Amino acid sequence: MTVESKHPETLALHAGYRNDPATGAVAVPIYQTTSYQFNHTEHAANLFALKELGNIYTRIMNPTCDVLEQRIAALEGGAAALALSSGQAASAFAIQNVAQAGDNVVSSTDLYGGTWNLFANTLKQQGIEVRFVDPADPENFRRATDDKTRAYYAETLPNPKLTVFPIREVADIGREFGIPLIMDNTAAPVICKPFAHGAAIIVYSTTKYIGGHGTSIGGLIVDGGNFDWEAYPERQPLLNTEDPSYHGAVWSQAAKPLGPIAYILKARVTLLRDLGSALSPFNAFQIIQGLETLPLRIREHCRNGAAVAEFLSGHAAVSKVIFAGAHTDAEQQRRAETYLGGQYGGLVGFELKDGLEAGRRFIDALQLFYHVANIGDARSLAIHPASTTHSQLSPEDKLATGVSDGYVRLSIGIEHIDDIIADLTQALDAATSRQAAAE
Ligand code: PLP
């Protein structure tokens, strides 16, 4: 029995699993096994021929990972999901599943640095061109499209700019051509539902909010089951021509008896089989523990994030606050309302009037916040990009990515808001004190 609900709080605890059929265990067991006994030779043959779905080998599927996959698919309103060893693996697979050498993808410029590197360098070396366009105008995606464009790619809430991506506008352009929109929703789980706005595929780094406790690297791809691959044989050749690596399977056809899961089935049985970026059952277990309280935690992240943005906007040392709920531009406000539904996430940026040195002093004075290159932990985190992640960039490139010398990025946790504000207050005092400035 599985519990039916449309509420994320319930799905996060119940979707995809009730109790272990062998033992009755209520917590999802860690199935720490590499392989699975076949019932008989016909059963084994059916599994390999995809006539029935079942466990063969943990590189390709595992019952603990399966619960995580079913749960995230239910939360997103998608058809199926694939767990992978990191968010990076998820982004790479999401593209490689539809694009091969000679093809291209159109992506938003506003990306996590690791994704940028993957797109600008590694995929390029593999012959896949990524064309970067400014998402301020959704029509830029159309302008960059040609016959070889296989996917559009973007992040819902990219930092440091924290401008919300126009999901519906770009998804609709893509659907005119037979091009799926892949959304990295890492920074906005629960609050943004990309499939409801026309996206076809969702990518997550579960390392962030979904895991939520800073213990495990992981990634997920979710298939919306809402994209008609078969309708675009020329646009989507990898889903519509015989795959020599799987007895000539044509994925848009082969998957039909199993549901609208052609994209994710192909990713599992070809890319995961061949490239091997499997999530370990232990990490899947950790990520499931996080997922079970995700809707609750996200509410607190959003509440505390909004309170911090308000506090910072009234502080004398701060020249600018960057927060999805604090944009002054009307179109940005509309996008934030439409796609985040009145909650704006836990990421808050701000600029210190006194620039680079003040940024360093602020970080060094923090006591509650951790100084780490991460986001989405239950704990509050901070980083000063100009002296760390972005220190290698030229001043022009730094500014183009939205990072000024005094820019600080905060990932607001779920501690009591009074303690968060108290730590920020004393660190801002330290950043601006005359004594510190003289040192
Ligand atoms: N996508 C976003 C938005 C991220 O912030 C990150 C990591 O910071 C990734 C993808 C990559 O995820 P992972 O570190 O799990 O490989």
Side-chain angles (χ1 to χ4, degrees):
M1 184 190 98
T2 52
V3 172
E4 298 285 327
S5 174
K6 59 181 178 1
H7 301 294
E9 293 82 355
T10 308
L11 292 170
L13 284 159
H14 292 278
Y17 179 84
R18 180 67 185 171
N19 57 269
D20 179 41
T23 63
V26 170
V28 179
I30 304 172
Y31 290 95
Q32 194 68 35
T33 182
T34 56
S35 35
Y36 308 85
Q37 159 102 334
F38 303 123
N39 299 339
H40 38 69
T41 49
E42 193 190 341
H43 176 226
N46 283 346
L47 292 178
F48 277 93
L50 299 176
K51 284 191 186 146
E52 60 182 292
L53 282 184
N55 297 316
I56 298 175
Y57 188 59
T58 279
R59 175 158 26 87
I60 304 166
M61 72 282 279
N62 172 277
T64 312
C65 297
D66 180 57
V67 175
L68 174 63
E69 290 162 351
Q70 288 196 45
R71 214 162 261 191
I72 195 77
L75 271 165
E76 294 297 347
L82 180 63
L84 294 164
S85 57
S86 67
Q88 281 301 108
S91 316
F93 276 33
I95 300 293
Q96 288 168 319
N97 206 35
V98 289
Q100 58 190 326
D103 292 342
N104 69 69
V105 167
V106 182
S107 170
S108 165
T109 43
D110 299 343
L111 294 174
Y112 163 61
T115 311
W116 177 278
N117 256 326
L118 167 70
F119 285 5
N121 298 302
T122 301
L123 288 184
K124 188 175 174 190
Q125 286 155 12
Q126 296 175 353
I128 299 170
E129 179 199 356
V130 179
R131 302 175 171 185
F132 296 102
V133 298
D134 183 350
D137 180 1
E139 287 297 319
N140 287 337
F141 279 77
R142 185 194 304 278
R143 288 182 200 111
T145 299
D146 68 13
D147 289 349
K148 293 280 190 181
T149 305
R150 305 290 179 236
Y152 293 161
Y153 191 98
E155 290 180 20
T156 306
L157 183 59
N159 74 80
K161 290 182 187 164
L162 300 177
T163 48
V164 178
F165 185 78
I167 303 175
R168 165 63 64 192
E169 292 82 344
V170 175
D172 283 352
I173 295 171
R175 282 175 191 271
E176 286 177 35
F177 295 104
I179 296 173
L181 172 62
I182 303 169
M183 288 303 306
D184 179 339
N185 202 39
T186 298
V190 184
I191 57 177
C192 180
K193 291 283 169 56
F195 294 148
H197 305 293
I201 306 295
I202 298 174
V203 166
Y204 277 114
S205 165
T206 61
T207 315
K208 318 295 175 190
Y209 289 101
I210 292 181
H213 297 79
T215 65
S216 312
I217 302 281
L220 283 166
I221 306 177
V222 194
D223 186 337
N226 60 6
F227 195 85
D228 189 359
W229 302 96
E230 200 184 349
Y232 305 101
E234 280 165 24
R235 173 66 68 185
Q236 300 298 344
L238 288 185
L239 274 295
N240 286 297
T241 47
E242 291 186 3
D243 185 341
S245 86
Y246 219 102
H247 337 293
V250 176
W251 293 110
S252 61
Q253 306 298 323
K256 266 187 189 162
L258 305 168
I261 61 166
Y263 175 93
I264 209 75
L265 181 69
K266 174 181 178 296
R268 181 187 298 280
V269 301
T270 65
L271 290 175
L272 186 53
R273 176 198 63 185
D274 299 348
L275 299 175
S277 315
L279 183 67
S280 82
F282 183 74
N283 276 12
F285 171 80
Q286 297 278 18
I287 294 160
I288 288 168
Q289 304 318 297
L291 187 58
E292 293 194 341
T293 57
L294 177 69
L296 196 68
R297 283 186 289 107
I298 282 290
R299 273 208 292 276
E300 288 303 301
H301 283 294
C302 292
R303 211 161 65 127
N304 283 349
V308 166
E310 196 183 332
F311 161 75
L312 290 170
S313 64
H315 199 285
V318 173
S319 56
K320 188 173 174 191
V321 175
I322 300 103
F323 180 58
H327 288 294
T328 48
D329 172 76
E331 173 58 12
Q332 272 310 320
Q333 287 174 349
R334 187 197 66 80
R335 291 181 188 178
E337 295 312 319
T338 306
Y339 297 117
L340 303 184
Q343 299 192 82
Y344 306 104
L347 300 178
V348 183
F350 67 96
E351 287 180 13
L352 283 157
K353 283 182 186 155
D354 293 342
L356 194 69
E357 284 312 309
R360 284 208 180 106
R361 287 196 299 271
F362 171 82
I363 294 284
D364 285 336
L366 288 169
Q367 291 168 4
L368 179 76
F369 280 68
Y370 286 85
H371 179 204
V372 294
N374 195 19
I375 59 165
D377 198 295
R379 302 159 189 84
S380 288
L381 317 174
I383 198 156
H384 177 227
S387 62
T388 56
T389 49
H390 290 57
S391 58
Q392 316 290 326
L393 297 185
S394 68
E396 300 77 45
D397 285 352
K398 233 185 296 182
L399 273 181
T401 63
V403 167
S404 66
D405 280 349
Y407 180 88
V408 175
R409 183 187 76 201
L410 304 176
S411 173
I412 303 300
I414 60 172
E415 301 94 341
H416 195 284
I417 188 62
D418 292 351
D419 296 326
I420 293 173
I421 301 276
D423 197 33
L424 292 173
T425 303
Q426 65 80 23
L428 284 167
D429 287 349
T432 50
S433 74
R434 273 176 211 282
Q435 191 189 350
E439 277 169 6

